[in-house]
């Protein structure tokens, strides 16, 4: 199949696929700019969508941008386009986080690495965060190995928590959730990014239909986006006794590493979708420096923790809103 021509329609498709990525509170903190003269698509962070309470370093914002970048690369490979990616090409411009130079290829992936990226493409539109209970079926060792390898290809380390360390991390998640509920500024920031769909048709943020049921055991496996509010008619459910949690880490902890973490995370998530898994995140302890430091305990592995991922078998999560492509893409002459 020949490569798709790099016209305006293809650019819009690429960006629509990129923006299907997850981001903290679904803030979608990205903007894309295409310059025809250089055939380069740049990814810029939108710092007016940052969260100064929960993410003062913008680490989480960069992770979301990295996830969008991975989707863009997978979409380009699927369309037979060669994509030469550079992270943080202009240090003096912190909003410019990556550039992707696009070329019309032969329609056949140029390398096995490109073919592997293209193979992830069908999962992009099926990846949704699921805040529902998962069943107790164990993820097979061969699938776990594939997820680990997916993160490694993007410079991340991904490892499932052994049973003897799981409970300690669950305590940190509960502590992080509790700290947030007792912090009025953080709760207000979270409420700012939640959406009441009975009064609005959102294009960003976490809609009420995606909150998931409350956890009857109060274990706080998922962030409760309702905060201290009560949502009428919201279901109450028992979640899995021993959730299958994994830590994603990077060797260093700079903005470029956060972008790599985002690409590693999305590659893991897309691989998981292709193997019938669903996922959610537990970011609460990562948002408190003292709790994130405890996640660096030698027993849990080396490197800097960037994400806690809960994986398993269960119902898919709902599709959450996305900003229109016209709002996030600019095409220059």
């Amino acid at each position: 199949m020949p490569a798709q021509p790099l016209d305006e329609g293809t650019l819009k498709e690429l960006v629509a696929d990129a923006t299907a990525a997850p981001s903290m509170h679904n803030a979608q903190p990205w903007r894309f700019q295409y310059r025809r003269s250089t055939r380069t698509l740049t990814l810029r962070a939108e710092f007016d969508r940052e969260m100064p309470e929960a993410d003062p370093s913008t680490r989480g914002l960069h992770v979301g941008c990295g996830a969008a970048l991975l989707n863009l690369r997978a979409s380009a490979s699927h369309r037979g386009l060669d994509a030469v990616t550079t992270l943080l090409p202009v240090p003096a411009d912190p909003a410019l986080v990556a550039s992707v130079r696009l070329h019309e290829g032969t329609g056949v992936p140029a390398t096995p690495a490109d073919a592997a990226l293209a193979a992830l493409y069908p999962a992009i539109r099926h990846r949704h965060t699921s805040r529902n209970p998962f069943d107790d079926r164990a993820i097979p060792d061969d699938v776990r190995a594939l997820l680990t390898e997916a993160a490694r290809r993007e410079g991340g380390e991904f490892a499932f928590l052994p049973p003897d360390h799981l409970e300690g991390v669950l305590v940190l998640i509960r502590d992080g959730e509790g700290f947030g509920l007792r912090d009025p500024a953080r709760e207000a920031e979270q409420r700012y990014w939640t959406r009441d769909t009975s009064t609005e048709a959102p294009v960003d943020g976490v809609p009420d239909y995606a909150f998931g049921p409350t956890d009857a055991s109060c274990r706080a496996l998922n962030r409760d986006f309702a905060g201290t509010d009560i949502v009428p008619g919201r279901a109450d459910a028992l979640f899995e006794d021993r959730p299958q949690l994994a830590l994603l880490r990077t060797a260093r902890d700079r903005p470029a590493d956060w972008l790599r973490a985002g690409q590693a995370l999305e590659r893991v998530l897309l691989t998981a979708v292709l193997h019938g898994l669903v996922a959610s995140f537990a970011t609460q302890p990562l948002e408190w420096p003292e709790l994130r430091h405890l996640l660096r305990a030698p027993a849990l592995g080396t490197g800097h923790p960037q994400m806690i991922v809960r994986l398993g078998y269960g119902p898919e999560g709902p599709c959450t809103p996305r900003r229109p492509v016209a709002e996030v893409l600019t095409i220059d002459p």
Side-chain angles (χ1 to χ4, degrees), residues 177-184 186-188 190-191 211 224-231 234:
E177 180 79 1
F179 290 171
L181 291 174
R182 292 192 294 270
D183 186 320
R186 291 207 184 201
E187 186 173 12
Q190 177 175 293
R191 187 176 289 112
F211 288 0
D224 189 349
F225 278 96
T228 56
D229 295 338
I230 296 176
V231 179
R234 189 178 180 195

Side-chain angles (χ1 to χ4, degrees), residues 285-306:
L286 298 167
E287 297 162 14
W288 299 90
E290 59 271 43
L291 299 183
R292 188 177 181 223
H293 177 75
L294 292 175
L295 287 171
R296 292 199 66 194
L300 298 177
T302 59
H304 299 266
Q306 305 293 352

Side-chain angles (χ1 to χ4, degrees), residues 80-169:
L81 299 169
D82 296 332
V84 180
T85 304
T86 305
L87 297 184
L88 301 168
V90 183
D93 183 1
L96 182 56
V97 297
S99 67
V100 181
R101 191 165 186 179
L102 297 164
H103 303 276
E104 294 174 12
T106 63
V108 178
T111 67
D114 291 334
L117 265 179
L120 297 174
Y121 176 78
I124 289 177
R125 297 294 174 164
H126 295 283
R127 184 224 58 81
H128 306 299
T129 302
S130 178
R131 300 184 181 90
N132 297 296
F134 300 166
D135 64 39
D136 292 324
R137 193 177 359 153
I139 300 170
D141 289 343
D142 60 337
V143 176
R144 291 185 176 215
L146 289 173
L147 301 176
T148 298
E149 173 61 16
R152 188 199 63 78
R153 288 190 176 202
E154 301 299 334
E157 178 191 340
F158 188 80
F160 282 87
L161 294 174
D164 50 342
H165 296 136
L166 175 62
E167 191 56 43
V169 173

